[in-house]
Amino acid sequence: MARTGRRPGNQDTREAIIAAAREAFAEKGYDRASIRAIATGAGVDPALVHHYFGTKDQLFLATVNAPIDPAQILPRVLDGSTEELPERLVRTFLSVWDHPVSGPAAVALLRSGLQHDWSARMLREFLTTRVIRRVISQLQLDPAEAPLRGSLVATQMIGLGLIRYVLKVEPLAAAPPEVVVAAVAPTIHRYLLEPLDVPAASIP
Amino acid sequence: MARTGRRPGNQDTREAIIAAAREAFAEKGYDRASIRAIATGAGVDPALVHHYFGTKDQLFLATVNAPIDPAQILPRVLDGSTEELPERLVRTFLSVWDHPVSGPAAVALLRSGLQHDWSARMLREFLTTRVIRRVISQLQLDPAEAPLRGSLVATQMIGLGLIRYVLKVEPLAAAPPEVVVAAVAPTIHRYLLEPLDVPAASIP
């Protein structure tokens, strides 16, 4: 492919870092991938990784092509009463996906995330470390149940994104946000805050 | 691509029919696509379409590469008390996705369904006409709410398939079926059988 950027040298370096980061995050997961190892993989100094991408967090978001940094919008979900957190979660999710810029980017992230094993691992890391873990860490949950509750919330939210925005199944695709919030928030409420009637010993 | 089949002529005809069917189902939807129009698109006699693929139903299943004919397993969901239908739905869904043959095929259907606009339309047609519509038609639901209820069930089930089998988010990926049934069936119960607290006038 012809290089058309103004600064091809820098562009090459950025791409090498992104490629090394993608490999590291997909293979080791977010927590165990280090900036040092990514820099070595890209053949550059770790300082250069920080120079181009900032923190490991920011590098990860650039690597998955995240439409938005969850850290910026999660306060809208987490601030306020726990009882109403499910409603705020669904409402905030819809505001991202209904938005003319971040919406199509979210659809692209979901679509591309499912195409390869490595991209699926990246999407999983994104969901678990950027979103699920941060939401459940704010709640006083039984540690034996918290990860299961988090992954149940993920099933409902990613399924909502898929049916409403990717497959566009009606009438959900055209439903006003208030209808979706009223229908789905009680599910999130149960997954996060109500008894699950699942014996703790049977949770992996 | 080199043709290696034993009967290249027949294979060509089959492929031409599949290609025409894919276009017709994606563009017009299952209901409005006709065998006659598909035959014309493939340049063959309608009788040949029936000869190779049987009914329109069977042609559709071949075209989407369905891992299993929903009509064969839906009785396992529909037969029995309405009250326990949600449990049977989740249990049957898991039995398809946990199965060593139909499971990977279901993952492939979901993955490939999201890659293109036309395949997304095919997957939507598959979900709505083969599964959702058949389940909700068995229940005594308010017609103003039934389609919304059906699409809500779809969000939960497709999200479960995605998180457990494609992204493999733990602990849900490794959870025994009974845990998943206990956790998810109440959601399906609410979407199908309980008040949604959504004003009917606001449903599209």
Side-chain angles (χ1 to χ4, degrees):
Chain A
M1 200 166 69
R3 296 192 190 103
T4 54
R6 274 193 310 152
R7 306 189 303 183
N10 290 357
Q11 196 55 33
D12 281 356
T13 305
R14 289 180 68 93
E15 282 171 13
I17 294 169
I18 288 283
R22 177 178 292 164
E23 202 180 320
F25 288 131
E27 270 186 23
K28 300 182 181 174
Y30 177 81
D31 294 332
R32 294 197 300 123
S34 72
I35 291 280
R36 178 168 298 275
I38 290 167
T40 303
V44 303
D45 190 87
L48 210 57
V49 178
H50 289 297
H51 172 71
Y52 281 125
F53 293 98
T55 63
K56 176 172 154 184
D57 212 58
Q58 292 167 316
L59 173 60
F60 180 67
L61 292 170
T63 307
V64 295
N65 272 322
I68 199 164
D69 181 356
Q72 289 183 343
I73 52 164
L74 275 177
R76 284 168 29 198
V77 177
L78 301 174
D79 293 353
S81 79
T82 298
E83 187 56 26
E84 287 167 0
L85 186 145
E87 254 188 66
R88 295 193 302 272
L89 177 67
V90 179
R91 202 181 304 279
T92 302
F93 179 90
L94 294 176
S95 73
V96 171
W97 289 73
D98 282 326
H99 187 276
V101 175
S102 58
V107 169
L109 174 63
L110 184 50
R111 276 185 145 163
S112 64
L114 301 185
Q115 278 183 34
H116 314 282
D117 284 337
W118 66 260
S119 59
R121 285 194 293 270
M122 296 282 288
L123 181 55
R124 180 180 62 205
E125 284 297 302
F126 177 74
L127 281 174
T128 54
T129 66
R130 302 295 93 183
V131 187
I132 300 174
R133 196 189 288 177
R134 290 178 186 189
V135 171
I136 62 178
S137 71
Q138 295 285 315
L139 304 168
Q140 311 296 321
L141 301 175
D142 177 350
E145 289 187 345
L148 179 64
R149 290 182 181 277
S151 56
L152 287 167
V153 170
T155 66
Q156 177 57 86
M157 298 314 293
I158 207 165
L160 176 59
L162 217 155
I163 290 291
R164 179 170 160 98
Y165 300 98
V166 184
L167 299 187
K168 301 188 177 81
V169 174
E170 295 296 357
L172 204 59
E178 285 315 307
V179 167
V180 184
V181 170
V184 173
T187 299
I188 305 302
H189 192 279
R190 196 176 70 82
Y191 286 160
L192 285 179
L193 303 171
E194 298 170 35
L196 286 178
D197 292 325
V198 168
S202 61
I203 301 173
Chain B
M1 201 165 67
R3 296 191 189 102
T4 53
R6 274 193 310 153
R7 306 188 304 184
N10 291 357
Q11 195 57 32
D12 282 355
T13 305
R14 290 180 66 94
E15 282 170 13
I17 294 169
I18 288 282
R22 177 177 293 165
E23 202 179 320
F25 288 131
E27 269 184 23
K28 300 182 180 174
Y30 177 82
D31 293 332
R32 295 196 300 123
S34 73
I35 291 279
R36 178 169 298 276
I38 290 167
T40 304
V44 302
D45 191 86
L48 209 58
V49 178
H50 289 297
H51 171 71
Y52 281 126
F53 294 99
T55 63
K56 176 172 155 184
D57 211 59
Q58 291 166 316
L59 173 60
F60 181 66
L61 293 171
T63 306
V64 295
N65 272 321
I68 197 163
D69 181 356
Q72 291 184 342
I73 53 164
L74 275 177
R76 290 178 8 210
V77 176
L78 301 174
D79 293 353
S81 78
T82 298
E83 186 56 26
E84 286 167 0
L85 185 145
E87 252 187 68
R88 296 194 302 273
L89 177 67
V90 179
R91 203 182 304 280
T92 303
F93 179 90
L94 294 176
S95 73
V96 171
W97 289 74
D98 282 327
H99 187 277
V101 175
S102 57
V107 170
L109 174 63
L110 183 50
R111 276 185 146 163
S112 64
L114 300 186
Q115 277 183 34
H116 314 283
D117 284 337
W118 67 261
S119 60
R121 285 194 293 270
M122 296 282 287
L123 181 55
R124 179 181 62 206
E125 284 298 301
F126 177 74
L127 280 174
T128 53
T129 66
R130 304 293 96 184
V131 187
I132 299 174
R133 198 189 288 177
R134 291 179 184 190
V135 171
I136 63 178
S137 70
Q138 294 286 316
L139 305 169
Q140 311 297 321
L141 301 176
D142 177 351
E145 289 186 345
L148 179 64
R149 290 181 181 279
S151 57
L152 287 168
V153 170
T155 66
Q156 178 57 85
M157 298 314 292
I158 208 166
L160 175 60
L162 216 154
I163 290 290
R164 179 171 160 97
Y165 299 100
V166 184
L167 298 187
K168 301 188 177 82
V169 174
E170 295 296 359
L172 203 61
E178 286 314 308
V179 167
V180 184
V181 171
V184 173
T187 299
I188 305 302
H189 192 279
R190 196 174 71 82
Y191 286 159
L192 285 179
L193 304 171
E194 298 171 35
L196 285 179
D197 294 325
V198 169
S202 61
I203 301 173

